[in-house]
């Protein structure tokens, strides 16, 4: 098995996959001193080291309890909120990377009914909550996804956070794990359903470009008092019928067709919907 040192790669290769691979390597909790003692083989833009395979034991993973790691975060969402916006049930993401330059992989968790949480890796599979000192809680956001990448090219990992309707927020790292918000007002991707995101130098100018994947921010099923006007096809008078959701999620519809109307053949030509109760 080979191990690649991704710190030697150009900074412009900040694609989300690079962060993910860096996570897999750094989370082994190898110290900087042990890394320096390895017999590294160099290549064009990278280096590698042969990893010894243990002769005993078994492959796989060991579950570490929160009481051992110190990672106590739980992404909660209240019943009242998801009954009025089921998009919140899509959940939130996690970002991983070395934010303070100590050679260990730190973890950033996005949240909905609570703040986001940054855990600093102390080594030995122990983590410490440093959210407040880092300045990345984002308490007013329904955070859906995040990525750690070197946006400004200074050698440390900055933070980009997506949210449901609250925009995409950028935080610049000072190299010590303290972040300053660089978000414009209104923020990027404002009032959209941002989910995952990726970074890469698309145009080859040495800067990382941002790609945000969006979904919807709400659905008509979550609007308990929405009225749906229905226009009959081929009818000059075009009366409407209102279908309204009740508290029990049932539907009631009243409809009177004009004498000059004809039965419609498809839903597409029969009606249009507005969520504004008109």
């Amino acid at each position: 098995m080979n191990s690649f040192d991704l710190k030697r790669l150009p900074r412009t290769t900040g694609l989300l996959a690079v962060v993910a691979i860096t996570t897999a390597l750094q989370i082994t909790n190898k110290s900087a001193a042990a890394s320096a003692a390895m017999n590294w083989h160099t290549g064009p833009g990278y280096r590698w080291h042969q990893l010894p395979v243990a002769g005993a034991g078994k492959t796989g993973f060991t579950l570490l309890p929160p009481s051992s790691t110190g990672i106590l975060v739980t992404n909660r969402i209240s019943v009242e909120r998801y009954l009025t916006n089921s998009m919140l049930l899509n959940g939130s993401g996690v970002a991983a990377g070395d934010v303070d330059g100590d050679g260990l992989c730190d973890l950033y968790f996005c949240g909905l009914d609570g703040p986001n949480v940054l855990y600093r890796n102390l080594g030995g599979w122990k983590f410490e909550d440093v959210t407040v000192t880092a300045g990345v809680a984002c308490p007013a956001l329904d955070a859906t996804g995040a990525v750690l990448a070197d946006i400004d090219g200074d050698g440390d990992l900055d933070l980009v956070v997506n949210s449901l309707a609250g925009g995409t927020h950028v935080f610049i790292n000072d190299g010590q794990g303290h972040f300053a918000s660089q978000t414009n007002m209104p923020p990027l991707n404002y009032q959209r359903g941002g989910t995952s995101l990726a970074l890469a130098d698309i145009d080859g100018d040495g800067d990382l470009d941002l790609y945000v994947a969006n979904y919807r921010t709400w659905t008509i099923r979550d609007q308990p008092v929405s009225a749906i006007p229905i226009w009959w096809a081929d009818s000059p008078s075009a009366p409407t019928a209102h279908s309204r959701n009740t508290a029990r999620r049932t539907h009631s519809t009243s409809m009177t067709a004009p004498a000059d109307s004809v039965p419609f053949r498809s839903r597409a030509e029969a009606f249009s919907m507005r969520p504004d109760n008109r």
Side-chain angles (χ1 to χ4, degrees), residues 84-272:
T84 55
N85 192 342
S86 59
M87 297 300 101
L88 294 168
L89 294 177
N90 290 335
S92 304
V94 180
D98 182 10
V99 301
D100 54 3
D102 64 355
L104 301 175
C105 183
D106 310 301
L107 301 175
Y108 183 78
F109 294 85
C110 296
L112 297 171
D113 266 359
N116 299 349
V117 184
L118 175 62
Y119 284 97
R120 178 174 177 259
N121 192 337
L122 304 176
W125 301 103
K126 305 293 183 181
F127 293 83
E128 175 189 14
D129 185 345
V130 294
T131 309
V132 175
T133 57
V136 290
C138 303
L141 290 182
D142 291 320
T144 54
V147 63
L148 288 164
D150 186 9
I151 297 174
D152 53 5
D154 63 354
D156 53 50
L157 295 180
D158 307 301
L159 176 67
V160 186
V161 180
N162 262 353
S163 69
L164 184 67
T168 299
H169 296 250
V170 178
F171 299 85
I172 300 300
N173 192 347
D174 67 355
Q176 303 299 316
H178 305 105
F179 295 81
S181 175
Q182 300 296 309
T183 302
N184 297 324
M185 294 305 294
L188 296 171
N189 206 47
Y190 187 55
Q191 294 184 338
R192 292 186 174 93
T195 55
S196 59
L197 61 166
L199 289 152
D201 183 9
I202 301 298
D203 52 5
D205 63 354
D207 297 322
L208 291 179
D209 307 301
L210 175 64
Y211 180 87
V212 177
N214 285 319
Y215 191 50
R216 61 178 62 187
T217 58
W218 64 279
T219 173
I220 192 67
R221 294 174 298 176
D222 300 326
Q223 308 300 313
V225 295
S226 292
I228 305 174
I230 300 178
W231 284 266
W232 285 82
D234 303 322
S235 171
S237 54
T240 61
H242 297 275
S243 177
R244 187 179 299 274
N245 295 337
T246 68
R248 295 185 178 181
R249 319 295 286 183
T250 58
H251 302 272
S252 60
T253 303
S254 60
M255 182 180 299
T256 302
D260 58 351
S261 66
V262 295
F264 51 79
R265 296 185 178 88
S266 68
R267 294 176 64 88
E269 67 175 319
F271 65 88
S272 61

